[in-house]
Amino acid sequence: MDIHIRTLRDKQQYEDVGGVAENLGISSATWPLFGVIWPSSEVLAHFMEDFEIEGKRILEVGCGIALTSLVLNHRHADITATDYHPEVSDFLLENVRINKGRKIPFVRTGWEDNDTRLGSFDLIAGSDLLYERDHAELLSRFIDQHAKPHCEVILVDPGRGEQGRFSKKMALLGYSHSHSKPVNSESYLKSPFRGKILRYKR
């Protein structure tokens, strides 16, 4: 699969025209994080290369550069992407264009938003989302808000320490839980991946 990606050059770039991101609570230090490809996102994208998608409505949460959405779009999946960062939509549009894909529906929304108009999904996926203490509560509620009665959730977590708290929240919402190590990640990552692929089903 040949996917071309426009990203930031590195994590030092910053351009918040009009203070839009600052008004959303995004600091200059965290502003560039959306615009680079993280190892967890590569793991998720590879996992989705041959994942069963037929008949499924799929949501990528906290998509950033949206590598997984681009892979799924290449496979003609019914994929919708979301992120809180105000620059994500422009990067997504450009990356869809250079890959000659169909337009990917995108909604800029936060996990605390009550009315996102996203609807509900059969499969919800994301990578490296649990990096603040309150994210377990916020993300589990957001997922449950957009999950169909029978739904699968797949998150790739690099091991930042919040996985256990998140899994407990998901169990209270009626999800069973399993996890695994990615297969052959050494073939595409520069260093060993110490995280896990987390799977939740209801």
Side-chain angles (χ1 to χ4, degrees):
M1 191 179 295
D2 189 18
I3 301 290
H4 297 260
I5 303 289
R6 174 196 178 208
T7 68
L8 298 179
R9 284 196 188 92
D10 52 44
K11 290 177 280 188
Q12 304 304 315
Q13 291 191 282
Y14 172 74
E15 186 182 32
D16 185 18
V17 178
V20 176
E22 184 180 5
N23 290 336
L24 292 171
I26 300 170
S27 69
S28 59
T30 60
W31 187 94
L33 301 184
F34 84 95
V36 295
I37 295 179
W38 297 86
S40 293
S41 67
E42 291 189 66
V43 171
L44 181 61
H46 277 83
F47 191 71
M48 287 293 153
E49 273 189 306
D50 57 3
F51 194 83
E52 178 57 51
I53 60 172
E54 187 68 31
K56 294 179 181 178
R57 187 166 187 243
I58 306 169
L59 177 68
E60 184 179 7
V61 180
C63 67
I65 287 298
L67 179 59
T68 291
S69 289
L70 292 165
V71 167
L72 289 170
N73 200 45
H74 187 81
R75 297 183 61 201
H76 306 291
D78 181 359
I79 176 68
T80 298
T82 68
D83 201 284
Y84 190 58
H85 200 290
E87 297 293 331
V88 167
S89 59
D90 286 343
F91 275 77
L92 181 60
L93 283 170
E94 175 63 10
N95 283 325
V96 168
R97 185 192 69 78
I98 63 179
N99 287 286
K100 298 180 173 62
R102 299 176 302 171
K103 182 179 179 181
I104 297 176
F106 173 81
V107 176
R108 195 202 69 76
T109 187
W111 298 342
E112 295 179 87
D113 295 346
N114 291 318
D115 184 14
T116 64
R117 296 189 172 90
L118 281 166
S120 55
F121 295 83
D122 304 285
L123 173 63
I124 299 174
S127 59
D128 202 352
L129 302 177
L130 300 166
Y131 48 87
E132 298 287 352
R133 187 170 180 81
D134 62 342
H135 284 177
E137 173 71 26
L138 293 173
L139 180 58
S140 60
R141 282 190 304 178
F142 183 85
I143 287 173
D144 195 51
Q145 181 183 350
H146 298 99
K148 289 185 177 180
H150 295 286
C151 178
E152 182 167 9
V153 179
I154 298 175
L155 302 182
V156 176
D157 183 74
R160 298 188 188 277
E162 299 300 316
Q163 171 202 332
R165 186 177 292 105
F166 177 77
S167 293
K168 288 178 182 177
K169 298 287 185 184
M170 293 296 284
L172 290 173
L173 294 169
Y175 290 84
S176 61
H177 168 231
S178 63
H179 61 81
S180 61
K181 298 288 289 184
V183 178
N184 297 326
S185 61
E186 67 279 358
S187 66
Y188 56 86
L189 294 179
K190 293 179 180 178
S191 56
F193 186 74
R194 306 191 185 282
K196 298 175 182 177
I197 299 171
L198 312 176
R199 301 181 71 169
Y200 305 88
K201 288 186 178 180
R202 184 177 66 183

